[in-house]
Amino acid sequence: MDKPLTERIGQNGGQVVDIDAYEAGGGYAGARKALTTMTPEEVIELVKDANLRGRGGAGFPTGVKWGFVPQGDAAGTGPKYLVCNADEMEPGTFKDRYLMTFDPHLLIDGVVIAAYAIGAERAYIFLRGEYFEPFRALERAIAEAAGRKYLGDGIFGGEFNLDLRLHRSAGRYICGEETALLNALEGKRAQPRLKPPFPPASGAWGRPTVVNNVETLCCVPAILRNGADWFRALGLTDDAGTKIYGVSGRVNNPGLWELPMGTTIREIIETHAGGMRNGHKLRGLLPGGASTDFLVPEEHLDLPMDYGSIAAAGSRMGTGTMILMDDSICPVDMSRNLQHFFAQESCGFCTPCREGLPWLEELLTDIEEGRGTLEDIDILEKNGAFIGAPGNTFCLHAAGAIEPLQSALKYFRDDFEAHVREGRCPYRERKGDG
C-alpha cells in the first residue's frame, strides 16, 4: 500500500489480488487506522489536506464533498449512504474495470474508510451491468472481507457497522450522472434530479448520500497509511497523487498506466503508449473520454494532464483516458459516431437533448455521405452552441455531447468543408485500415 495503486497487480502477474495478497501488502491497514485511532472528522480533514480530487471526471475535492454531509442532530433520524459509482460507460474509459477486476479489496478498503468518515452504515457499489468479470471479483472479495470481519457489525472490534451491497446496473450512460444513478438505485427511471438539494443533504431515499468514483475511493487507503504530505508529493503540479491514465487508438501499446498527476500528454502517448503506429500521424485527441473537447498536437502535446492545465486549454481532463484520432480517421465520421452514442443515451427529459442530438447526428450523416451544404456546417455550429450551453438542459449530458463536436468544428473545419466541396468523404479510401 506504500506503493502506487497498480504496482502490486503487476507483481502478481495480472491475477486478481485476493485478500491474503492484499493484506500482505498492507491492505486494510488504512481502514484499521481510521476506525480505531481517528474520529470521522479527522479522517475528513486528512483527505482534505491530501487534496484528493474526484477521479470520475469532475475533479471535485473529495474531502470537501464528505464534509457536506450533516452530522449529529443536523442529520436527523435515519440512515446515511455511501454509493460507489462503478457504472463506467464513458466511451474510451476502462480504468475502473481494471481496478475492480484485479484489486477489488482496494476498493472495499476505501469504501469502509469513506463510509466511516460520513457516518454511513449502508454502502452500495453501483456496477455497470455488462461488467461480468468485475462483478465476480467484487462478489468474491466482499465475501472474503466479511469473513474476516472487515464488513458487517463491529468492524475491527469497534462500534462501526457497515452493510456493503453490490448493485448491478440495468445500464444506460445517464446512470453516470450521480442523481440519475440514485434514481436507478431506488428502482426508478434513470433520470437526473433537480439540484438543489444535492445528494450530501438529500440523496438516496431522501437521506444524506455521498457518491464517489471507483478510482477516487481506491486512493483513500494509501492516504490513511502514508499521510497527506506523501500523497500531495506524488503529483507533479498543483493536483495531488497519481492518476490512472489511458490511451486508445492507433498506438503501439494501448492501455492504462498509473503515473504522477500532471504527467504530460506527450509522455503518456510517446513513452507509455509507445507512440503512433508506423504510417499513422496524430491529428487530435479527446483527453478524458468521449465527452471532452479535442486537443491538437501542434498546441497541446506538452500540456500536463491535470485538471487546471487541460481546462485552461479549453477542454476537460475528465476520466484521464485519451481517445486518439490519427490521420486515417475522418473527423466528420468520428463526430457523427459520437453524436449517435449521445443521442441514443439521452434520458429523453429535455427537448434540446432528446430532439436536438438526433438532428445533429442526421446533419453529420448528410455531410459524411456527400449530401451536406456549407449552411449545414453553420447550423451544426449554432445549434450545438445552443444545445450545449449550461442551463438550456436539465443536466450536463447535452453539454458533454456537444464538446467534441464544437471542438472538431474549431480544429478540423477544413475537413467538414471538403466533404461539401467534393460531395463525398475524402477519407473513404483510407478507411478499414486497422
Side-chain angles (χ1 to χ4, degrees), residues 32-49:
R32 187 183 298 276
K33 177 181 178 181
L35 272 62
T36 61
T37 69
M38 301 174 71
T39 65
E41 292 77 15
E42 287 172 335
V43 175
I44 291 173
E45 286 305 310
L46 178 63
V47 174
K48 285 183 182 178
D49 291 344

Side-chain angles (χ1 to χ4, degrees), residues 201-212:
S202 178
W205 296 281
R207 297 294 301 157
T209 304
V210 163
V211 181
N212 283 138

Side-chain angles (χ1 to χ4, degrees), residues 349-368:
F349 183 79
C350 307
T351 302
C353 191
R354 182 185 65 246
E355 306 296 335
L357 296 182
W359 184 51
L360 294 182
E361 182 193 348
E362 288 182 16
L363 288 175
L364 286 163
T365 300
D366 283 345
I367 295 171
E368 171 64 14

Side-chain angles (χ1 to χ4, degrees), residues 211-284:
V211 181
N212 283 138
N213 172 257
V214 169
E215 187 185 354
T216 307
L217 292 169
C218 286
C219 289
V220 171
I223 293 173
L224 266 291
R225 282 202 59 177
N226 301 301
D229 292 344
W230 171 84
F231 189 75
R232 288 199 306 270
L234 294 174
L236 302 176
T237 59
D238 291 339
D239 288 333
T242 59
K243 179 77 184 72
I244 297 182
Y245 295 111
V247 174
S248 57
R250 288 189 174 95
V251 289
N252 289 303
N253 184 32
L256 295 167
W257 309 271
E258 185 180 14
L259 301 168
M261 182 71 85
T263 300
T264 65
I265 294 173
R266 182 186 300 276
E267 179 181 335
I268 295 169
I269 295 174
E270 295 184 357
T271 301
H272 302 285
M276 302 302 293
R277 294 185 201 169
N278 287 338
H280 295 286
K281 180 181 178 181
L282 179 65
R283 288 200 67 199

